[in-house]
Amino acid sequence: MGGAIPGKDFLAIMRQAGFADVEMVSETGFNSSAITKGVLFRAVKPAVSISERRSDSMVALGKYQEFFEEAYAEGALDRKTKHLIALGASLSAGCDP
Amino acid sequence: MKSDFTAEDRKKIEEGIRGKYAKVAVNPQGLFTYPTGRAGLESLKYDPDILRSLPESALESFCGVGNPFSIGEIREGESVLDIGCGGGVDTMIAATMTGPTGRIVGMDMSSEMAERARQNLSETHLKNLSFRESSAEDLPFPDNDFDVVISSGVFNLIPDKLKALREVFRVMKTGGRLMMADQVLTGYLSEDVKARIDNWAG
């Protein structure tokens, strides 16, 4: 049992390997020593791995940033006026700017 | 969670595991602190109908630490990989659950255990499974190959658990399920790395 590790550490390694819905379901009652216990683990390989999901959200954030920059670009109205209009609109809509 | 063992440490760990399981392959009784063989299977509530369909001599080689089939189903026609299959009892049970259209592979790093598993298989009528010798840290299978991966009492023996789990992830299909039993640590291990390595498979 020299290689056994705590259950929560094993769950963390499963997540690190990419698994989702990772859980320690129950104890088995079969213990190999006084300081180890038998347990059941379950996990699923997700359709999109967590690292891919993270990169997807980075793409979405980048797109929003582009839209934001475009909307506030200097045009018929300058950037400062656009920001003040947005502030007024958000205050009248009850938003906390 | 340490995996920073030297090559020599890893060799010692592997030798310790191989040494123990060469004996287990002959007869697991008395080498574990929990029930093995048929008594173990019954106390873990394995399906009695499936147990009846397997030869008694094969059931005797069972030395799992839990029942992976108790936390999820295996469906007809699925492909299943059993990591550290030992005498192949769980592998044969999975093969019974998938029926003849399923594909089951059991792998073990101990050549004695893989040989015992083949011998056990030869006493059945199952045709949908095979056994291979390999390390769990380097699986000899293509990406997205299996619907389900099962394992019992094995990952605690693996020095680099992250590497092995990444391999499991790689060979599983999207939506694939991992169902495993293992021993986890609840107390404190010796800080002495040598003592831990000497008692790796203890």
Side-chain angles (χ1 to χ4, degrees), chain A residues 1-6 9 13-14 16-19 28 30-32 35-45 47, chain B residues 33-35 43 65 71 144 156 161-162 169 172 174-176 178 180-188 196 199-200 202:
Chain A
M1 40 71 176
I5 61 173
D9 292 352
I13 298 177
M14 286 169 106
Q16 201 182 338
F19 285 101
T28 69
F30 275 37
N31 304 334
S32 65
I35 55 163
T36 47
K37 69 176 176 187
V39 297
L40 288 158
F41 288 108
R42 189 161 52 191
V44 173
K45 178 171 177 173
Chain B
T33 53
Y34 44 80
S43 60
V65 302
I71 53 169
N144 310 310
N156 71 90
K161 295 174 188 7
L162 177 59
F169 188 86
M172 272 167 76
T174 295
L178 171 61
M180 58 175 277
D182 202 12
Q183 293 290 319
V184 296
L185 192 64
T186 55
Y188 292 98
R196 281 183 59 194
N199 196 28
W200 195 269

Side-chain angles (χ1 to χ4, degrees), chain B residues 7 19 22 25-26 41 57 81 94 102 113 118 144 158 163 185-186 199:
Chain B
V26 180
L41 288 157
S57 55
L81 172 65
M113 288 295 349
R118 286 189 196 103
N144 310 310
I158 297 175
K163 190 173 179 200
L185 192 64
T186 55
N199 196 28

Side-chain angles (χ1 to χ4, degrees), chain B residues 16-27:
Chain B
I17 297 170
R18 283 184 210 279
K20 174 164 182 179
Y21 285 88
K23 287 185 210 149
V24 172
V26 180
N27 182 2

